[in-house]
């Protein structure tokens, strides 16, 4: 007699759902990391531009048109950063939603997995009782045969 869990197909289906949710969560995490890296690059370009302004001023150059164009670039970068930060917040919200879905899928899978273990343990107990009963019956039959002889 072999153990067979009648909800095994559902268990496999929930495992697949859990794996898909894990994949979607990982993709969302990567999107957030990429967005934050992009924002860091934008900040680095602002820092580079400020360093250029300092270099121009340190060289004694009075190129106000060049400094003005760099300052306009910095202001543009600040606006872009604000927009990109908003996008990062949206991506973080999506990541959080994907995480919640993943947690629910993991819980669903664990419930069925625990149920399978309990059913398997019950099966073992019943099987052991049957084996013990058969052994007891054989011993009883031998004893009766020995007494009858």
């Amino acid at each position: 007699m072999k153990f067979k869990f009648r909800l095994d197909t559902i268990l496999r289906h929930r495992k697949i759902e859990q794996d898909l949710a894990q994949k979607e969560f990982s993709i969302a995490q990567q999107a957030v990391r990429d967005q934050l890296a992009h924002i860091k690059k934008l900040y680095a370009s602002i820092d580079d531009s400020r360093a250029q302004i300092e270099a121009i001023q340190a060289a004694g150059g009075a190129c106000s048109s060049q400094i003005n164009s760099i300052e306009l670039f910095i202001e543009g970068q600040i606006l872009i950063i604000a927009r990109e930060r908003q996008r990062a917040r949206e991506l973080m919200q999506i990541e959080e939603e994907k995480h919640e879905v993943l947690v629910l899928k993991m819980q669903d899978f664990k419930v069925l997995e625990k149920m399978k273990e309990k059913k398997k343990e019950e099966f073992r107990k019943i099987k052991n009782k049957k084996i013990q009963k058969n052994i007891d019956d054989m011993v009883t039959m031998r004893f009766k045969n020995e007494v009858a002889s």
Side-chain angles (χ1 to χ4, degrees):
M1 186 182 331
K2 184 179 175 187
F3 173 73
K4 184 171 180 170
F5 186 56
R6 61 186 178 92
L7 301 175
D8 216 18
T9 55
I10 296 172
L11 182 67
R12 277 185 266 132
H13 177 69
R14 288 199 179 162
K15 178 64 175 164
I16 291 169
E17 285 180 338
Q18 177 185 329
D19 292 344
L20 290 174
Q22 177 66 46
K23 182 179 178 183
E24 289 177 9
F25 175 64
S26 297
I27 291 170
Q29 277 184 318
Q30 186 61 43
V32 169
R33 282 193 296 268
D34 292 345
Q35 185 68 18
L36 293 177
H38 178 64
I39 292 171
K40 282 183 180 181
K41 287 180 184 177
L42 292 173
Y43 276 116
S45 69
I46 289 176
D47 292 341
D48 292 343
S49 299
R50 288 185 177 147
Q52 279 181 327
I53 291 174
E54 287 178 18
I56 292 170
Q57 289 174 343
C63 285
S64 63
S65 64
Q66 199 175 18
I67 292 175
N68 285 340
S69 66
I70 293 172
E71 286 177 351
L72 285 175
F73 172 77
I74 291 172
E75 289 174 15
Q77 290 295 88
I78 290 172
L79 293 175
I80 292 171
I81 288 172
R83 188 175 61 233
E84 295 299 318
R85 288 176 73 185
Q86 179 60 36
R87 175 77 179 130
R89 281 192 280 284
E90 291 169 3
L91 289 172
M92 286 177 188
Q93 185 177 11
I94 291 170
E95 177 189 20
E96 183 63 32
E97 290 169 2
K98 299 289 184 186
H99 186 260
E100 290 173 6
V101 169
L102 174 61
V103 168
L104 289 174
K105 298 292 181 183
M106 289 174 74
Q107 287 174 346
D108 289 346
F109 177 73
K110 285 286 185 189
V111 166
L112 271 182
E113 197 173 46
K114 285 182 181 180
M115 182 187 294
K116 181 178 180 178
E117 288 302 316
K118 285 181 182 178
K119 294 288 183 182
K120 198 171 192 176
E121 187 59 35
E122 287 176 19
F123 175 79
R124 280 190 211 120
K125 287 180 181 178
I126 291 171
K127 187 176 177 181
N128 288 340
K129 282 183 181 180
K130 285 182 181 181
I131 291 172
Q132 188 62 42
K133 183 181 179 207
N134 287 339
I135 292 171
D136 290 346
D137 287 346
M138 286 203 267
V139 168
T140 305
M141 293 295 283
R142 280 187 188 166
F143 181 73
K144 285 182 182 180
N145 287 340
E146 290 176 7
V147 172
S149 318

